[in-house]
Amino acid sequence: DAGVTQSPTHLIKTRGQQVTLRCSPKSGHDTVSWYQQALGQGPQFIFQYYEEEERQRGNFPDRFSGHQFPNYSSELNVNALLLGDSALYLCASSLRDIQPQHFGDGTRLSIL
Amino acid sequence: GQQVMQIPQYQHVQEGEDFTTYCNSSTTLSNIQWYKQRPGGHPVFLIQLVKSGEVKKQKRLTFQFGEAKKNSSLHITATQTTDVGTYFCSSNTGKLIFGQGTTLQVKP
């Protein structure tokens, strides 16, 4: 039973570029949430997808967008990258929204 | 919006000593979830507390939810080196609102 899988594991981009991160939820889960974790900080909620729609959103600018596909997998897109976007991006899945969330290993994004 | 504060930020203990981390909110929480993140790893769900005054145990770990549902604690008895990591409390309202975490270091 595969858990949450994320790709790629590491990524290096330059300022102004765009990036797409991918996530496959744990089998049986239908809700995907994305978090940004800066070094030494707790994860910060970006947004959550359920039934292919964004259901909740945290305090992140419109440069951060996402998508959920019919098979429940999800993408996180970030446009016009800034140095401050360097972080670990975590995807978490759950069955519905308030159940415990299962996290993937994350994508480490570095902006030069 | 809802916020949870955690103390202490760091704790260094000798193996075998006890450890406690506290989580506080200014608003009533519908639930508390605790997660552990090992260095270089991702958060792993430990437990969820829902009821006022609830106490749950997992081997050497004891979790409490306050009577007013505004605070919670995690206590580890006789720490081991495998307990090393950052412990986060979070309120789950669909989105997880994480505290800052308490990083535990255990000296063997």
Side-chain angles (χ1 to χ4, degrees):
Chain A
D1 179 19
V4 179
T5 57
Q6 290 186 245
S7 63
T9 54
H10 294 84
L11 204 49
I12 299 174
K13 291 284 187 179
T14 56
R15 280 181 298 172
Q17 284 190 311
Q18 177 265 343
V19 69
T20 297
L21 310 182
R22 295 177 175 82
C23 171
S24 291
K26 180 179 168 66
S27 178
H29 286 182
D30 57 8
T31 303
V32 173
S33 302
W34 287 91
Y35 296 83
Q36 181 194 66
Q37 187 174 26
L39 205 59
Q41 303 293 317
Q44 298 295 310
F45 175 78
I46 303 175
F47 43 53
Q48 181 182 79
Y49 278 85
Y50 172 66
E51 291 186 336
E52 302 179 50
E53 289 190 13
E54 184 181 292
R55 298 292 178 169
Q56 295 201 61
R57 188 178 183 92
N59 189 24
F60 280 79
D62 292 345
R63 299 187 296 111
F64 289 77
S65 63
H67 190 77
Q68 186 180 35
F69 299 94
N71 67 353
Y72 306 117
S73 67
S74 177
E75 288 181 350
L76 163 65
N77 301 292
V78 187
N79 294 323
L81 287 166
L82 304 173
L83 292 177
D85 294 332
S86 294
L88 178 67
Y89 287 84
L90 293 162
C91 170
S93 73
S94 61
L95 180 60
R96 303 295 184 265
D97 56 359
I98 63 168
Q99 295 304 311
Q101 298 189 9
H102 294 249
F103 286 81
D105 289 334
T107 294
R108 176 74 60 188
L109 177 62
S110 298
I111 311 301
L112 304 179
Chain B
Q2 229 167 38
Q3 281 190 326
V4 289
M5 307 294 290
Q6 252 182 287
I7 55 170
Q9 188 174 0
Y10 298 98
Q11 185 86 57
H12 295 249
V13 300
Q14 197 73 39
E15 190 172 20
E17 292 181 336
D18 292 355
F19 159 77
T20 305
T21 173
Y22 300 91
C23 181
N24 297 291
S25 171
S26 58
T27 59
T28 302
L29 303 170
S30 56
N31 62 68
I32 276 281
Q33 294 183 352
W34 285 91
Y35 291 79
K36 176 184 178 182
Q37 186 172 21
R38 287 201 164 96
H42 57 267
V44 174
F45 173 77
L46 294 177
I47 208 156
Q48 174 171 282
L49 305 171
V50 178
K51 299 177 185 174
S52 168
E54 190 170 12
V55 177
K56 287 189 177 180
K57 292 191 175 185
Q58 285 181 352
K59 297 183 180 177
R60 295 178 294 104
L61 278 60
T62 302
F63 304 84
Q64 288 190 303
F65 201 8
E67 294 289 342
K69 299 182 75 173
K70 289 185 176 182
N71 57 73
S72 181
S73 65
L74 157 59
H75 179 82
I76 302 179
T77 303
T79 54
Q80 299 175 358
T81 54
T82 53
D83 296 325
V84 163
T86 301
Y87 292 85
F88 292 100
C89 64
S90 65
S91 168
N92 192 345
T93 59
K95 58 185 179 183
L96 285 174
I97 308 297
F98 283 89
Q100 309 95 309
T102 297
T103 298
L104 172 64
Q105 300 273 19
V106 179
K107 297 180 203 173

